[in-house]
């Protein structure tokens, strides 16, 4: 972050994220075990063996 925003992320994470979670606007966990599952993407078909 730029020097003039020092601590800005910490402030956001500590004060804004909890409010968003209370309102149901920010997830508290992930539904899957992989990034693909988090985004609800299908698993690609296996490549044919040559």
């Amino acid at each position: 972050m730029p020097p003039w925003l020092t601590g800005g992320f910490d402030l956001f994470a500590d004060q804004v994220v909890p409010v968003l979670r209370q309102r149901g606007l920010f997830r508290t966990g992930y539904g899957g075990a992989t990034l693909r599952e988090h985004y609800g993407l299908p698993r690609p078909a296996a490549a044919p063996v040559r």
Side-chain angles (χ1 to χ4, degrees):
M1 295 185 97
W4 58 86
L5 294 176
T6 303
F9 177 78
D10 293 334
L11 181 65
F12 183 84
D14 292 341
Q15 296 184 11
V16 176
V17 171
V19 173
L20 294 175
R21 284 184 174 158
Q22 288 173 352
R23 295 179 182 183
L25 300 172
F26 195 92
R27 71 174 71 193
T28 58
Y30 292 94
T34 65
L35 182 60
R36 181 178 307 280
E37 291 173 354
H38 296 321
Y39 287 116
L41 300 172
R43 189 172 191 154
V49 179
R50 296 183 183 196

